[in-house]
Amino acid sequence: MRLALFVNPGSGRGTDADTLAGLLRGQRAEVDLHHFDELGDVPLDGVDRLVVATGDGGLGPAAARAAAARIPLAVLPSGTANDFASALGLPRDPGLAAVLAADADARSRTLDVAWAGGTPFLNAASCGLAVAAARYADGLKGVLGPVAYPVGALRAGATQPACDYRVVVDGTERFAGPAWQVIVAGTGAFGSGAELDEADPADRRLDVTVVRGGSRLALPLRAWGMRQGGLNRQDGVEHLRGRTVEVEGAERWNVDGELCDHADAGRFRLDGRVAVVVPSSVA
């Protein structure tokens, strides 16, 4: 088993590349070690699996690269929240994750690769309160760890206004007006434990949730729906599905935890499918 390991040393745990490579080699794998910044440059001829050690923000580019090379993707979760790992039931422990990544007989689950303009992602892209929440949480990660995300969300909900958006799905306008948040989902996992429980990352469609504007007093109910499930079934919340989505009115997006302000970030599509190595219990 030949593995191409790409390590992002700036992810939440201060990942040590040599240690992770050693764990994989301990499983009798041949490992080519690379820095995450080399993801688009390293040839993958003869590689059996792309292994990435990063937080959620780096998984989209890794998935797109693996999809283009037509090889499976294995994940060594090393971020602060690791929402993708939670959504797919991947082991958080580095040793256990390495065992799975190097297992030639491991099963895989095929997922769609979503794109926000030119930025690939797997979990979710959000505008509105999610952008402010990510900004507030960023300075707290080193102290609070994953708890920084709900703390940032609380502050955003208390201070930020609803904004006007226009949402077009498969060429048809489906929403226009004030909203607290618009979420375009792959797995639907985000914010260290929040999720859109009706999102299907393999159905060849994007899931769109629009949290309509209104009383700020309703925001705790929305937060409860994100944490416990059922947000898309609440009154005042629109749930849409389609292969292409355009959202007008957002200057910045939170794309898998990374803030993005590219001009085309509000144009969403599906392009590519990636086989992700998963435990047999969730394959």
Side-chain angles (χ1 to χ4, degrees), residues 88-115:
L88 267 71
L90 304 180
R92 302 288 194 95
D93 178 80
L96 294 177
V99 170
L100 178 62
D103 182 358
D105 297 322
R107 298 186 179 185
S108 64
R109 182 179 176 190
T110 301
L111 306 182
D112 299 316
V113 180
W115 295 75

PDB file of all heavy atoms in Angstrom, residues 88-115:
ATOM      1  N   LEU A  88     -18.787  11.312   9.647  1.00  0.00           N
ATOM      2  CA  LEU A  88     -18.554  10.018   9.013  1.00  0.00           C
ATOM      3  C   LEU A  88     -18.109   8.929   9.988  1.00  0.00           C
ATOM      4  O   LEU A  88     -17.839   7.809   9.572  1.00  0.00           O
ATOM      5  CB  LEU A  88     -17.515  10.153   7.893  1.00  0.00           C
ATOM      6  CG  LEU A  88     -18.116  10.400   6.503  1.00  0.00           C
ATOM      7  CD1 LEU A  88     -18.691  11.812   6.424  1.00  0.00           C
ATOM      8  CD2 LEU A  88     -17.091  10.191   5.417  1.00  0.00           C
ATOM      9  N   GLY A  89     -18.054   9.252  11.262  1.00  0.00           N
ATOM     10  CA  GLY A  89     -17.664   8.249  12.247  1.00  0.00           C
ATOM     11  C   GLY A  89     -16.210   7.864  12.156  1.00  0.00           C
ATOM     12  O   GLY A  89     -15.838   6.724  12.492  1.00  0.00           O
ATOM     13  N   LEU A  90     -15.331   8.776  11.741  1.00  0.00           N
ATOM     14  CA  LEU A  90     -13.908   8.488  11.628  1.00  0.00           C
ATOM     15  C   LEU A  90     -13.234   8.582  12.994  1.00  0.00           C
ATOM     16  O   LEU A  90     -13.598   9.424  13.819  1.00  0.00           O
ATOM     17  CB  LEU A  90     -13.238   9.473  10.667  1.00  0.00           C
ATOM     18  CG  LEU A  90     -13.808   9.572   9.260  1.00  0.00           C
ATOM     19  CD1 LEU A  90     -13.023  10.587   8.442  1.00  0.00           C
ATOM     20  CD2 LEU A  90     -13.801   8.213   8.579  1.00  0.00           C
ATOM     21  N   PRO A  91     -12.240   7.751  13.261  1.00  0.00           N
ATOM     22  CA  PRO A  91     -11.544   7.818  14.552  1.00  0.00           C
ATOM     23  C   PRO A  91     -10.779   9.127  14.698  1.00  0.00           C
ATOM     24  O   PRO A  91     -10.150   9.602  13.749  1.00  0.00           O
ATOM     25  CB  PRO A  91     -10.598   6.615  14.516  1.00  0.00           C
ATOM     26  CG  PRO A  91     -10.452   6.257  13.068  1.00  0.00           C
ATOM     27  CD  PRO A  91     -11.733   6.647  12.403  1.00  0.00           C
ATOM     28  N   ARG A  92     -10.840   9.697  15.889  1.00  0.00           N
ATOM     29  CA  ARG A  92     -10.106  10.930  16.187  1.00  0.00           C
ATOM     30  C   ARG A  92      -8.677  10.642  16.635  1.00  0.00           C
ATOM     31  O   ARG A  92      -7.793  11.464  16.427  1.00  0.00           O
ATOM     32  CB  ARG A  92     -10.819  11.710  17.286  1.00  0.00           C
ATOM     33  CG  ARG A  92     -12.262  12.107  16.991  1.00  0.00           C
ATOM     34  CD  ARG A  92     -12.352  13.204  15.954  1.00  0.00           C
ATOM     35  NE  ARG A  92     -13.684  13.776  15.927  1.00  0.00           N
ATOM     36  CZ  ARG A  92     -14.053  14.871  16.606  1.00  0.00           C
ATOM     37  NH1 ARG A  92     -13.184  15.471  17.392  1.00  0.00           N
ATOM     38  NH2 ARG A  92     -15.268  15.333  16.505  1.00  0.00           N
ATOM     39  N   ASP A  93      -8.482   9.520  17.290  1.00  0.00           N
ATOM     40  CA  ASP A  93      -7.152   9.162  17.785  1.00  0.00           C
ATOM     41  C   ASP A  93      -6.200   8.968  16.601  1.00  0.00           C
ATOM     42  O   ASP A  93      -6.517   8.221  15.663  1.00  0.00           O
ATOM     43  CB  ASP A  93      -7.230   7.885  18.601  1.00  0.00           C
ATOM     44  CG  ASP A  93      -5.870   7.430  19.092  1.00  0.00           C
ATOM     45  OD1 ASP A  93      -5.399   7.979  20.089  1.00  0.00           O
ATOM     46  OD2 ASP A  93      -5.285   6.532  18.438  1.00  0.00           O
ATOM     47  N   PRO A  94      -5.031   9.625  16.605  1.00  0.00           N
ATOM     48  CA  PRO A  94      -4.116   9.515  15.464  1.00  0.00           C
ATOM     49  C   PRO A  94      -3.702   8.083  15.145  1.00  0.00           C
ATOM     50  O   PRO A  94      -3.610   7.699  13.984  1.00  0.00           O
ATOM     51  CB  PRO A  94      -2.910  10.358  15.898  1.00  0.00           C
ATOM     52  CG  PRO A  94      -3.454  11.316  16.893  1.00  0.00           C
ATOM     53  CD  PRO A  94      -4.544  10.589  17.615  1.00  0.00           C
ATOM     54  N   GLY A  95      -3.449   7.283  16.192  1.00  0.00           N
ATOM     55  CA  GLY A  95      -3.043   5.904  15.953  1.00  0.00           C
ATOM     56  C   GLY A  95      -4.137   5.095  15.279  1.00  0.00           C
ATOM     57  O   GLY A  95      -3.885   4.359  14.315  1.00  0.00           O
ATOM     58  N   LEU A  96      -5.372   5.228  15.761  1.00  0.00           N
ATOM     59  CA  LEU A  96      -6.487   4.490  15.171  1.00  0.00           C
ATOM     60  C   LEU A  96      -6.795   4.989  13.761  1.00  0.00           C
ATOM     61  O   LEU A  96      -7.126   4.197  12.865  1.00  0.00           O
ATOM     62  CB  LEU A  96      -7.723   4.615  16.053  1.00  0.00           C
ATOM     63  CG  LEU A  96      -7.631   3.969  17.437  1.00  0.00           C
ATOM     64  CD1 LEU A  96      -8.909   4.230  18.233  1.00  0.00           C
ATOM     65  CD2 LEU A  96      -7.362   2.482  17.324  1.00  0.00           C
ATOM     66  N   ALA A  97      -6.672   6.304  13.558  1.00  0.00           N
ATOM     67  CA  ALA A  97      -6.905   6.868  12.229  1.00  0.00           C
ATOM     68  C   ALA A  97      -5.866   6.359  11.239  1.00  0.00           C
ATOM     69  O   ALA A  97      -6.176   6.090  10.070  1.00  0.00           O
ATOM     70  CB  ALA A  97      -6.888   8.393  12.291  1.00  0.00           C
ATOM     71  N   ALA A  98      -4.630   6.201  11.695  1.00  0.00           N
ATOM     72  CA  ALA A  98      -3.569   5.693  10.825  1.00  0.00           C
ATOM     73  C   ALA A  98      -3.812   4.231  10.468  1.00  0.00           C
ATOM     74  O   ALA A  98      -3.560   3.807   9.333  1.00  0.00           O
ATOM     75  CB  ALA A  98      -2.213   5.858  11.501  1.00  0.00           C
ATOM     76  N   VAL A  99      -4.293   3.443  11.421  1.00  0.00           N
ATOM     77  CA  VAL A  99      -4.609   2.043  11.147  1.00  0.00           C
ATOM     78  C   VAL A  99      -5.660   1.949  10.045  1.00  0.00           C
ATOM     79  O   VAL A  99      -5.542   1.155   9.099  1.00  0.00           O
ATOM     80  CB  VAL A  99      -5.105   1.334  12.425  1.00  0.00           C
ATOM     81  CG1 VAL A  99      -5.669  -0.051  12.089  1.00  0.00           C
ATOM     82  CG2 VAL A  99      -3.974   1.208  13.432  1.00  0.00           C
ATOM     83  N   LEU A 100      -6.704   2.776  10.133  1.00  0.00           N
ATOM     84  CA  LEU A 100      -7.749   2.776   9.116  1.00  0.00           C
ATOM     85  C   LEU A 100      -7.215   3.249   7.768  1.00  0.00           C
ATOM     86  O   LEU A 100      -7.487   2.645   6.725  1.00  0.00           O
ATOM     87  CB  LEU A 100      -8.910   3.670   9.557  1.00  0.00           C
ATOM     88  CG  LEU A 100     -10.069   3.812   8.562  1.00  0.00           C
ATOM     89  CD1 LEU A 100     -10.730   2.463   8.315  1.00  0.00           C
ATOM     90  CD2 LEU A 100     -11.075   4.840   9.069  1.00  0.00           C
ATOM     91  N   ALA A 101      -6.413   4.321   7.778  1.00  0.00           N
ATOM     92  CA  ALA A 101      -5.903   4.896   6.530  1.00  0.00           C
ATOM     93  C   ALA A 101      -5.021   3.917   5.770  1.00  0.00           C
ATOM     94  O   ALA A 101      -4.987   3.927   4.529  1.00  0.00           O
ATOM     95  CB  ALA A 101      -5.120   6.175   6.829  1.00  0.00           C
ATOM     96  N   ALA A 102      -4.299   3.064   6.497  1.00  0.00           N
ATOM     97  CA  ALA A 102      -3.361   2.138   5.865  1.00  0.00           C
ATOM     98  C   ALA A 102      -3.949   0.746   5.636  1.00  0.00           C
ATOM     99  O   ALA A 102      -3.259  -0.133   5.109  1.00  0.00           O
ATOM    100  CB  ALA A 102      -2.102   2.018   6.728  1.00  0.00           C
ATOM    101  N   ASP A 103      -5.208   0.562   5.988  1.00  0.00           N
ATOM    102  CA  ASP A 103      -5.850  -0.744   5.834  1.00  0.00           C
ATOM    103  C   ASP A 103      -6.268  -0.954   4.382  1.00  0.00           C
ATOM    104  O   ASP A 103      -7.202  -0.316   3.896  1.00  0.00           O
ATOM    105  CB  ASP A 103      -7.066  -0.823   6.760  1.00  0.00           C
ATOM    106  CG  ASP A 103      -7.759  -2.180   6.695  1.00  0.00           C
ATOM    107  OD1 ASP A 103      -7.324  -3.051   5.913  1.00  0.00           O
ATOM    108  OD2 ASP A 103      -8.753  -2.356   7.436  1.00  0.00           O
ATOM    109  N   ALA A 104      -5.580  -1.845   3.686  1.00  0.00           N
ATOM    110  CA  ALA A 104      -5.874  -2.082   2.275  1.00  0.00           C
ATOM    111  C   ALA A 104      -7.270  -2.631   2.053  1.00  0.00           C
ATOM    112  O   ALA A 104      -7.834  -2.495   0.960  1.00  0.00           O
ATOM    113  CB  ALA A 104      -4.841  -3.045   1.690  1.00  0.00           C
ATOM    114  N   ASP A 105      -7.853  -3.231   3.080  1.00  0.00           N
ATOM    115  CA  ASP A 105      -9.179  -3.831   2.954  1.00  0.00           C
ATOM    116  C   ASP A 105     -10.294  -2.932   3.487  1.00  0.00           C
ATOM    117  O   ASP A 105     -11.463  -3.349   3.529  1.00  0.00           O
ATOM    118  CB  ASP A 105      -9.222  -5.165   3.700  1.00  0.00           C
ATOM    119  CG  ASP A 105      -8.266  -6.191   3.104  1.00  0.00           C
ATOM    120  OD1 ASP A 105      -8.150  -6.219   1.863  1.00  0.00           O
ATOM    121  OD2 ASP A 105      -7.636  -6.933   3.886  1.00  0.00           O
ATOM    122  N   ALA A 106      -9.932  -1.722   3.887  1.00  0.00           N
ATOM    123  CA  ALA A 106     -10.943  -0.817   4.445  1.00  0.00           C
ATOM    124  C   ALA A 106     -11.991  -0.457   3.398  1.00  0.00           C
ATOM    125  O   ALA A 106     -11.702  -0.358   2.202  1.00  0.00           O
ATOM    126  CB  ALA A 106     -10.275   0.455   4.973  1.00  0.00           C
ATOM    127  N   ARG A 107     -13.185  -0.251   3.866  1.00  0.00           N
ATOM    128  CA  ARG A 107     -14.272   0.144   2.976  1.00  0.00           C
ATOM    129  C   ARG A 107     -14.235   1.649   2.740  1.00  0.00           C
ATOM    130  O   ARG A 107     -13.532   2.391   3.420  1.00  0.00           O
ATOM    131  CB  ARG A 107     -15.614  -0.276   3.573  1.00  0.00           C
ATOM    132  CG  ARG A 107     -15.742  -1.785   3.747  1.00  0.00           C
ATOM    133  CD  ARG A 107     -17.122  -2.160   4.208  1.00  0.00           C
ATOM    134  NE  ARG A 107     -17.259  -3.601   4.365  1.00  0.00           N
ATOM    135  CZ  ARG A 107     -18.408  -4.198   4.667  1.00  0.00           C
ATOM    136  NH1 ARG A 107     -19.509  -3.485   4.867  1.00  0.00           N
ATOM    137  NH2 ARG A 107     -18.451  -5.522   4.784  1.00  0.00           N
ATOM    138  N   SER A 108     -15.026   2.096   1.772  1.00  0.00           N
ATOM    139  CA  SER A 108     -15.083   3.525   1.486  1.00  0.00           C
ATOM    140  C   SER A 108     -16.524   3.946   1.242  1.00  0.00           C
ATOM    141  O   SER A 108     -17.383   3.117   0.923  1.00  0.00           O
ATOM    142  CB  SER A 108     -14.229   3.874   0.265  1.00  0.00           C
ATOM    143  OG  SER A 108     -14.736   3.263  -0.911  1.00  0.00           O
ATOM    144  N   ARG A 109     -16.749   5.230   1.418  1.00  0.00           N
ATOM    145  CA  ARG A 109     -18.064   5.825   1.131  1.00  0.00           C
ATOM    146  C   ARG A 109     -17.850   6.928   0.097  1.00  0.00           C
ATOM    147  O   ARG A 109     -16.993   7.799   0.286  1.00  0.00           O
ATOM    148  CB  ARG A 109     -18.679   6.382   2.405  1.00  0.00           C
ATOM    149  CG  ARG A 109     -20.072   6.961   2.190  1.00  0.00           C
ATOM    150  CD  ARG A 109     -20.668   7.473   3.477  1.00  0.00           C
ATOM    151  NE  ARG A 109     -21.956   8.097   3.235  1.00  0.00           N
ATOM    152  CZ  ARG A 109     -22.631   8.798   4.139  1.00  0.00           C
ATOM    153  NH1 ARG A 109     -22.147   8.940   5.360  1.00  0.00           N
ATOM    154  NH2 ARG A 109     -23.791   9.353   3.841  1.00  0.00           N
ATOM    155  N   THR A 110     -18.613   6.890  -0.977  1.00  0.00           N
ATOM    156  CA  THR A 110     -18.444   7.867  -2.044  1.00  0.00           C
ATOM    157  C   THR A 110     -19.299   9.102  -1.777  1.00  0.00           C
ATOM    158  O   THR A 110     -20.511   9.003  -1.561  1.00  0.00           O
ATOM    159  CB  THR A 110     -18.829   7.259  -3.406  1.00  0.00           C
ATOM    160  OG1 THR A 110     -17.995   6.125  -3.649  1.00  0.00           O
ATOM    161  CG2 THR A 110     -18.626   8.284  -4.521  1.00  0.00           C
ATOM    162  N   LEU A 111     -18.642  10.272  -1.786  1.00  0.00           N
ATOM    163  CA  LEU A 111     -19.309  11.541  -1.499  1.00  0.00           C
ATOM    164  C   LEU A 111     -19.152  12.502  -2.671  1.00  0.00           C
ATOM    165  O   LEU A 111     -18.191  12.435  -3.435  1.00  0.00           O
ATOM    166  CB  LEU A 111     -18.707  12.191  -0.246  1.00  0.00           C
ATOM    167  CG  LEU A 111     -18.645  11.359   1.035  1.00  0.00           C
ATOM    168  CD1 LEU A 111     -18.049  12.213   2.153  1.00  0.00           C
ATOM    169  CD2 LEU A 111     -20.025  10.855   1.422  1.00  0.00           C
ATOM    170  N   ASP A 112     -20.100  13.428  -2.777  1.00  0.00           N
ATOM    171  CA  ASP A 112     -19.994  14.497  -3.759  1.00  0.00           C
ATOM    172  C   ASP A 112     -19.004  15.549  -3.281  1.00  0.00           C
ATOM    173  O   ASP A 112     -18.921  15.838  -2.081  1.00  0.00           O
ATOM    174  CB  ASP A 112     -21.354  15.185  -3.957  1.00  0.00           C
ATOM    175  CG  ASP A 112     -22.418  14.239  -4.464  1.00  0.00           C
ATOM    176  OD1 ASP A 112     -22.117  13.458  -5.384  1.00  0.00           O
ATOM    177  OD2 ASP A 112     -23.555  14.283  -3.943  1.00  0.00           O
ATOM    178  N   VAL A 113     -18.263  16.132  -4.220  1.00  0.00           N
ATOM    179  CA  VAL A 113     -17.405  17.275  -3.912  1.00  0.00           C
ATOM    180  C   VAL A 113     -18.159  18.530  -4.311  1.00  0.00           C
ATOM    181  O   VAL A 113     -18.533  18.701  -5.477  1.00  0.00           O
ATOM    182  CB  VAL A 113     -16.061  17.201  -4.650  1.00  0.00           C
ATOM    183  CG1 VAL A 113     -15.196  18.411  -4.293  1.00  0.00           C
ATOM    184  CG2 VAL A 113     -15.332  15.905  -4.312  1.00  0.00           C
ATOM    185  N   ALA A 114     -18.426  19.394  -3.348  1.00  0.00           N
ATOM    186  CA  ALA A 114     -19.139  20.644  -3.599  1.00  0.00           C
ATOM    187  C   ALA A 114     -18.131  21.776  -3.790  1.00  0.00           C
ATOM    188  O   ALA A 114     -17.010  21.728  -3.269  1.00  0.00           O
ATOM    189  CB  ALA A 114     -20.080  20.963  -2.444  1.00  0.00           C
ATOM    190  N   TRP A 115     -18.564  22.795  -4.525  1.00  0.00           N
ATOM    191  CA  TRP A 115     -17.691  23.935  -4.813  1.00  0.00           C
ATOM    192  C   TRP A 115     -18.423  25.245  -4.545  1.00  0.00           C
ATOM    193  O   TRP A 115     -19.562  25.437  -4.991  1.00  0.00           O
ATOM    194  CB  TRP A 115     -17.231  23.918  -6.272  1.00  0.00           C
ATOM    195  CG  TRP A 115     -16.358  22.760  -6.618  1.00  0.00           C
ATOM    196  CD1 TRP A 115     -16.744  21.457  -6.803  1.00  0.00           C
ATOM    197  CD2 TRP A 115     -14.942  22.791  -6.823  1.00  0.00           C
ATOM    198  NE1 TRP A 115     -15.662  20.672  -7.111  1.00  0.00           N
ATOM    199  CE2 TRP A 115     -14.543  21.469  -7.139  1.00  0.00           C
ATOM    200  CE3 TRP A 115     -13.982  23.809  -6.791  1.00  0.00           C
ATOM    201  CZ2 TRP A 115     -13.214  21.144  -7.405  1.00  0.00           C
ATOM    202  CZ3 TRP A 115     -12.658  23.496  -7.051  1.00  0.00           C
ATOM    203  CH2 TRP A 115     -12.283  22.181  -7.346  1.00  0.00           C
TER     204      TRP A 115
END
